[in-house]
Amino acid sequence: MNQKYMPQQIELKWQRYWEENDSFAATEDPSREKYYLLEMFPYPSGRIHMGHVRNYTIGDVVARYKRMQGLNVLHPMGWDAFGMPAENAAIEHGVHPAKWTRENIAYMRGQLKRMGFSYDWAREFATCDPSYYRWEQWLFLQMLEKGLVYRKKTFVNWCDSCATVLANEQVEQGDCWRCGKTVAQREQSGWFFKITDYADELLEFTDKLPGWPEKVLISQRNWVGKSYGAAVKFPHVGPHAAENDAIEVFTTRPDTLYGVTFMSLAPEHPLALALAKGTEHEAVVTAFVNKVKSEDKISRTMDDYEKEGVFTGAYVTNPLTGAEVPVYVANFVLMDYGTGAVMAVPAHDQRDFEFARKYDLPIQVVIQGEEPLDPATMTEAYVGEGVLVNSAQFNGTKNKQAIEDIAAYMDDMGIGGKTTNFRLRDWGVSRQRYWGAPIPVIHCDECGTVPVPEDQLPVTLPEDVEFPEGRVLPLANIPSYYETTCPKCGKDAKRETDTMDTFVESSWYYSRFACSDYDKGMFDRKRLDYWLPVDQYIGGIEHAVLHLLYSRFWVKVQRDLGLTSMDEPFTNLLTQGMVCKETMRCPEHEWLFPEEVEDGKCVKCGQPAAKGRVEKMSKSKKNVIDPEALIEAYGADTARLFSLFASPPELDLDWNEKGVEGSYRFLRRVWRMVADNADWLIDTTPYSEGKIEGRAKDIRRKTHDTIRRVTKDIETRFHFNTAVSAMMELVNELTSFKADSDTDRAVFREAVNALVTLLCPMVPHFSEELWEELGGEGQLLNAKWPDYDEAALAQDSMVVMVQINGKVRGKLEIPTGASQEDVEATAKADANVSKHLDGKKIVKVIYVPGKILNIVVR
RNA sequence: GCCCGGAUGGUGGAACUGGUAGACACAAGGGACUUAAAAUCCCUCGGCCCUAGGCUGUGCGAGUUCGAUUCUCGCUCCGGGCACCA
């Protein structure tokens, strides 16, 4: 056996072996329990980064562990291949997005293979494969038929720099999630998925996902944003009021209805202009509406945005009091929440209060708290609890009760009633980009919007396109693509030229992995029902709302289309933290690479370079570690081991070179320990258990305790860092153990075999090689995960800490099973303990068997 | 503003269900081996003190308890989600 650990050689050897033997191919087998493990698939950006290494290492450990537990494991990998960067690369380098994407995939596939991940590569696909998006288009048409997709003209989020529309979920604090530029509002037609139909169910099921981290569920609940309240119809009067015409509002505070003194409409509300039309107010209202519409979303939602409005000239009637109140258009009312119209109660809502003060509108108090309220002297709205006043028959009712009572009363009167409102908006999926899945519909002047017939799927993206002057033309500029004929009437018609949001592809890719024979049809229920749902999903927390919400929606749609029986796609979710590294910066040159710093100074200008914060690895901050360089220097196993050992998965991982060195050192230590004793470790002479005593017995106990701890840490909480440290402890014990007798050697052998097996999911090449050297049978990856022997864990003696008044005063080693009396007697005999007991009166004695004896004295 | 997390040595992090705080590593210091270096091995390593031993210590302040990193209440700071949401 080689005395030296040679990672490069070993790793390539086993990777070749796995590839040649299809070691990780998964087959449906109803007689075996399945385990579908999935990591969020990558965007093929060019090279893998440390975040991928971490994510996929965690996944690989679980996959290999479950496999050794005897489960039928599906562990696939693919590519989220559509999206903007491919178009940007085309613009910058004149390379076709498809070519760029394919080349990146080829390179990154090689990198993943070099990490030794146990993927079933036969199931690999890229979302830009027509054979993939063909089924996405088919699903789109199914949804269209069910009315779950619709087209509407509305105000959408527009990113100028990406030249496309964005979904609400893709706007972060008013900025584009990808490029960070400010998002504008634009009125435009587009396709929408009716995710709001599923708002209630998406919310309800957040209580039925015990395997998800609470913070992800909370984010999703916030995003769906259900609020309870009442819908109220205010009949309107005025120049354009038709009979039975009413403006509906949503309120969470029906208890304040008697305090309504005006109404506010969003500038985008269709009635805003309609009410003023033809009146003396028309010009003012039109000007105001246009002004507000031209402002972007961020400035409109700024804290100090001034509340302004104009009178429309119209009035509505308060359905409870019959009072007529004026209708305003106000810049702070949002069209996309509630109905876009708000009943204004200035006495009990701060925004309405400010508005009323500014435009001198009446303030009517209807809830009285402890202190008397006088509209004339109030300086802010009263939003606390209280008792109703000025509210007819509801006077004297507590306001919480009045919420119920008034809603019920309105229901009886047919003017409104209890309802709920959601923050969630429908998912806009139209993108005005080239590199995406085409939306399979045709626009015909005669027949309207016509779905592409199923036998004409897929509608493929034209690949033979030109890029004039470093531009990628959207499909709307490619006549050979959009010119077609109507499938219904045969006349000239135009294809839809929008492509789908890339989040559509990632909403269902996990189903595709479960169907390996694509040509036989995507929805092979036997395969789907066998593998799905995903048992364990692993990925970054940044998708807490976006991808994870869309996927949940998509599964519910598929279920209602009769395509799957699952309710939720991912039974268990693990969200891992980011990979971070310390940054270096210079007062003049901003971020520096480590090699740009010498003796703590910037090599460019000689000024002292300060250590920056530990931040997420990013090219711009020059703190990126290239996995490839790491593999070259230490091997994939060390990279894997360190990323597992440095911190538990959910926390951010702080990368430091010295830590990597430590993991490498550990592997070398294990290697040497085996190599030094290789001649007799291969021997298989059994030992008889009864003879094990003393140090050998301790070693054996440690071995089995290590099996117990490692299994528990992986199984119950994915804390690989403590699993690794348990194994390090075992190695520390083993290296100081002199195996002199046959029994000693047998115990040592058992320990080494267990260690190598336990290490297998984490450092598979290393373990496999040692397994072979030790004469192990077959492939270690198919070996059975070890069980621990309860009997071996038994201790001859136990350590009992002695406390006096809660302070540790002694440590006793006592035969296991000693009675409390024995323990107390031994404790009192202890010199230090008796010193502290001297002259004191024992008040109470608490004994926790095998752990602590606490003597309370006075 | 509302709703969630989190805070432990010089560093990453351990500590099961309230029972020895700091496992396992990294860094640092000291030593051994070596012509030297690398590698390896050994020792020390929260702070303070009268060093056998004692005091103190898990963001801060209270509380419950024989006993609190762990539970309760009130703060501070950091991170995250939502937010003119009617």
Side-chain angles (χ1 to χ4, degrees):
Chain A
M1 174 176 180
N2 199 331
Q3 287 297 303
K4 216 180 150 205
Y5 169 44
M6 311 265 272
Q8 307 298 335
Q9 209 179 308
I10 295 169
E11 290 173 4
L12 293 174
K13 165 184 162 186
W14 289 105
Q15 283 159 17
R16 200 173 310 123
Y17 182 92
W18 294 331
E19 177 128 22
E20 283 166 4
N21 290 279
D22 282 337
S23 297
F24 307 109
T27 330
E28 296 75 32
D29 180 353
S31 69
R32 293 179 65 200
E33 191 186 339
K34 66 95 184 182
Y35 190 84
Y36 184 177
L37 181 113
L38 185 66
E39 299 113 44
M40 289 181 186
F41 67 164
Y43 177 78
S45 56
R47 336 188 91 212
I48 62 166
H49 55 69
M50 276 303 162
H52 294 129
V53 169
R54 189 181 193 201
N55 190 175
Y56 302 153
T57 298
I58 291 167
D60 202 47
V61 174
V62 179
R64 287 173 178 270
Y65 166 77
K66 292 288 178 183
R67 182 189 175 97
M68 291 172 83
Q69 288 280 13
L71 297 174
N72 189 19
V73 173
L74 171 60
H75 187 211
M77 181 45 71
W79 310 94
D80 190 11
F82 275 134
M84 292 281 305
E87 290 193 26
N88 293 338
I91 292 163
E92 279 167 40
H93 312 299
V95 54
H96 193 289
K99 184 166 182 277
W100 184 83
T101 304
R102 296 284 169 200
E103 283 172 2
N104 286 348
I105 288 174
Y107 192 80
M108 290 170 77
R109 183 192 299 119
Q111 291 188 299
L112 293 183
K113 287 190 175 174
R114 185 62 191 81
M115 284 299 297
F117 296 134
S118 61
Y119 297 127
D120 177 0
W121 285 105
R123 292 175 191 253
E124 177 196 6
F125 65 87
T127 56
C128 61
D129 298 339
S131 62
Y132 179 76
Y133 64 72
R134 179 212 139 101
W135 293 104
E136 185 165 309
Q137 292 173 337
W138 183 80
L139 281 159
F140 182 97
L141 295 176
Q142 301 297 307
M143 288 170 76
L144 188 63
E145 205 180 310
K146 285 263 177 186
L148 290 168
V149 184
Y150 63 95
R151 191 174 166 79
K152 73 170 174 190
K153 188 170 187 180
T154 181
F155 285 89
V156 292
N157 308 300
W158 177 264
C159 175
D160 230 14
S161 125
C162 297
T164 190
V165 165
L166 300 171
N168 284 355
E169 289 78 7
Q170 292 154 12
V171 181
E172 296 170 342
Q173 256 94 62
D175 297 333
C176 171
W177 72 289
R178 184 185 291 288
C179 71
K181 301 268 163 52
T182 301
V183 171
Q185 295 300 296
R186 180 192 265 212
E187 201 165 16
Q188 186 161 321
S189 293
W191 291 96
F192 287 83
F193 283 171
K194 256 194 175 168
I195 191 169
T196 51
D197 272 13
Y198 288 86
D200 246 323
E201 213 190 339
L202 286 168
L203 198 62
E204 250 172 59
F205 270 87
T206 58
D207 295 330
K208 298 175 192 166
L209 289 168
W212 281 43
E214 193 56 25
K215 66 171 168 180
V216 174
L217 296 174
I218 289 167
S219 293
Q220 295 210 354
R221 282 182 205 127
N222 282 341
W223 188 262
V224 174
K226 184 175 188 174
S227 44
Y228 298 84
V232 191
K233 284 182 186 142
F234 284 69
H236 68 255
V237 289
H240 298 284
E243 241 179 271
N244 299 324
D245 240 3
I247 304 179
E248 189 171 301
V249 301
F250 171 76
T251 179
T252 53
R253 297 291 306 274
D255 53 324
T256 64
L257 249 160
Y258 286 85
V260 174
T261 57
F262 62 100
M263 178 178 278
S264 312
L265 301 181
E268 294 86 354
H269 198 290
L271 284 175
L273 292 170
L275 289 177
K277 199 162 188 205
T279 71
E280 53 179 309
H281 302 280
E282 182 171 1
V284 176
V285 171
T286 308
F288 180 75
V289 166
N290 288 340
K291 187 191 121 196
V292 179
K293 278 187 184 172
S294 71
E295 294 166 345
D296 63 63
K297 206 167 191 167
I298 313 197
S299 46
R300 268 181 83 175
T301 53
M302 288 281 244
D303 275 349
D304 52 359
Y305 184 63
E306 178 148 13
K307 289 171 186 51
E308 287 183 329
V310 292
F311 180 42
T312 60
Y315 291 84
V316 290
T317 312
N318 183 327
L320 289 186
T321 64
E324 286 188 4
V325 297
V327 180
Y328 277 71
V329 180
N331 61 359
F332 64 90
V333 180
L334 307 172
M335 188 57 215
D336 56 8
Y337 185 77
T339 62
V342 182
M343 62 177 223
V345 186
H348 306 292
D349 181 283
Q350 188 56 26
R351 293 155 302 180
D352 296 341
F353 181 85
E354 287 167 31
F355 197 85
R357 278 278 189 263
K358 180 162 181 170
Y359 295 104
D360 208 17
L361 291 157
I363 294 170
Q364 165 84 313
V365 172
V366 289
I367 292 168
Q368 191 62 61
E370 311 242 304
E371 301 289 315
L373 292 171
D374 177 5
T377 57
M378 283 170 77
T379 54
E380 57 178 10
Y382 177 73
V383 293
E385 292 184 19
V387 168
L388 266 64
V389 292
N390 300 323
S391 300
Q393 71 267 39
F394 299 102
N395 282 343
T397 312
K398 284 189 177 157
N399 75 300
K400 282 218 162 143
Q401 182 60 42
I403 291 178
E404 300 295 320
D405 292 356
I406 294 183
Y409 177 70
M410 288 192 297
D411 198 16
D412 289 346
M413 305 289 289
I415 51 176
K418 257 175 120 163
T419 186
T420 52
N421 190 57
F422 292 95
R423 214 192 65 93
L424 185 71
R425 298 293 96 200
D426 278 339
W427 173 15
V429 296
S430 279
R431 295 293 177 273
Q432 294 68 43
R433 304 300 313 183
Y434 165 77
W435 192 234
I439 292 176
V441 298
I442 290 164
H443 300 287
C444 169
D445 286 342
E446 302 279 321
C447 313
T449 302
V450 182
V452 172
E454 208 178 312
D455 59 9
Q456 289 176 27
L457 295 180
V459 177
T460 52
L461 201 58
E463 293 214 359
D464 55 338
V465 293
E466 298 286 318
F467 304 119
E469 293 164 41
R471 288 202 303 147
V472 178
L473 297 178
L475 297 176
N477 291 320
I478 306 173
S480 61
Y481 173 76
Y482 64 70
E483 282 172 357
T484 185
T485 51
C486 173
K488 256 193 193 161
C489 67
K491 289 192 184 143
D492 283 351
K494 199 182 162 198
R495 270 187 204 289
E496 169 65 56
T497 55
D498 282 350
T499 52
M500 279 190 255
D501 181 3
T502 56
F503 279 93
V504 178
E505 282 92 67
S506 55
S507 293
W508 67 284
Y509 76 107
Y510 43 87
S511 298
R512 176 56 181 281
F513 282 131
C515 281
S516 47
D517 293 331
Y518 310 146
D519 299 334
K520 290 185 187 161
M522 175 56 217
F523 295 96
D524 177 349
R525 282 299 287 274
K526 242 168 69 192
R527 290 170 187 274
L528 287 174
D529 289 347
Y530 178 72
W531 291 115
L532 291 168
V534 173
D535 295 279
Q536 182 67 54
Y537 197 35
I538 307 175
I541 185 74
E542 65 274 14
H543 288 289
V545 174
L546 285 160
H547 160 60
L548 290 168
L549 186 70
Y550 292 148
S551 298
R552 295 183 55 221
F553 158 65
W554 195 266
V555 159
K556 291 178 202 310
V557 169
Q558 288 186 46
R559 179 202 59 197
D560 292 349
L561 289 168
L563 300 170
T564 180
S565 39
M566 62 178 163
D567 284 312
E568 288 284 342
F570 315 120
T571 309
N572 297 290
L573 172 69
L574 176 66
T575 50
Q576 103 272 1
M578 300 179 296
V579 181
C580 300
K581 194 174 180 295
E582 187 173 68
T583 53
M584 298 293 283
R585 56 193 314 175
C586 159
E588 193 172 330
H589 297 97
E590 271 287 300
W591 310 103
L592 300 173
F593 286 113
E595 57 271 21
E596 291 175 329
V597 180
E598 234 171 68
D599 301 329
K601 286 177 184 152
C602 171
V603 292
K604 292 186 212 163
C605 63
Q607 296 189 64
K611 286 196 171 183
R613 301 205 322 180
V614 174
E615 293 196 66
K616 183 181 178 174
M617 284 187 185
S618 83
K619 277 184 195 158
S620 64
K621 289 180 181 153
K622 299 190 175 178
N623 63 343
V624 174
I625 297 281
D626 179 9
E628 215 159 90
L630 194 75
I631 292 168
E632 219 168 278
Y634 300 97
D637 281 331
T638 296
R640 295 169 61 121
L641 188 65
F642 178 70
S643 65
L644 294 167
F645 178 59
S647 71
E650 64 274 16
L651 294 186
D652 287 348
L653 187 156
D654 194 357
W655 197 272
N656 88 63
E657 222 55 40
K658 296 290 183 185
V660 179
E661 196 79 50
S663 294
Y664 187 50
R665 212 144 50 205
F666 171 70
L667 291 181
R668 271 199 318 230
R669 231 173 137 207
V670 175
W671 183 274
R672 216 169 41 241
M673 183 176 84
V674 173
D676 287 350
N677 304 298
D679 49 339
W680 56 265
L681 273 173
I682 321 170
D683 192 9
T684 51
T685 316
Y687 62 93
S688 82
E689 219 176 294
K691 288 185 189 157
I692 304 170
E693 277 167 352
R695 193 70 209 287
K697 194 165 183 183
D698 290 340
I699 293 287
R700 185 148 194 274
R701 183 183 314 112
K702 190 73 185 170
T703 301
H704 285 268
D705 192 46
T706 305
I707 298 171
R708 185 187 63 82
R709 284 168 64 188
V710 171
T711 307
K712 195 176 117 202
D713 284 344
I714 297 180
E715 181 76 44
T716 62
R717 48 179 206 166
F718 302 133
H719 275 205
F720 312 106
N721 56 332
T722 48
V724 174
S725 59
M727 292 189 281
M728 285 174 167
E729 282 181 43
L730 175 62
V731 172
N732 288 346
E733 293 262 324
L734 285 176
T735 48
S736 66
F737 176 55
K738 291 266 172 293
D740 293 326
S741 67
D742 280 351
T743 307
D744 284 354
R745 284 192 279 271
V747 166
F748 193 95
R749 191 178 303 124
E750 182 192 34
V752 169
N753 280 329
L755 176 71
V756 168
T757 312
L758 295 175
L759 276 171
C760 181
M762 302 186 182
V763 286
H765 320 85
F766 176 87
S767 304
E768 206 70 69
E769 182 71 16
L770 287 183
W771 183 253
E772 192 179 69
E773 291 286 358
L774 290 168
E777 246 175 78
Q779 288 275 292
L780 185 55
L781 65 98
N782 293 322
K784 196 187 160 301
W785 186 257
D787 288 321
Y788 61 92
D789 177 0
E790 198 79 51
L793 298 178
Q795 305 259 15
D796 296 334
S797 62
M798 55 190 190
V799 174
V800 176
M801 301 308 295
V802 184
Q803 298 184 337
I804 292 168
N805 288 350
K807 286 191 194 295
V808 178
R809 297 301 177 192
K811 182 176 166 183
L812 309 176
E813 193 157 343
I814 281 189
T816 305
S819 67
Q820 180 170 347
E821 287 73 35
D822 293 342
V823 175
E824 270 183 58
T826 319
K828 284 170 186 166
D830 182 274
N832 198 44
V833 172
S834 66
K835 194 175 92 190
H836 283 90
L837 289 176
D838 200 28
K840 304 273 171 59
K841 188 179 164 227
I842 296 176
V843 183
K844 196 175 173 184
V845 176
I846 293 117
Y847 178 56
V848 182
K851 275 185 181 156
I852 265 194
L853 180 77
N854 191 9
I855 305 171
V856 187
V857 297
R858 209 181 277 149

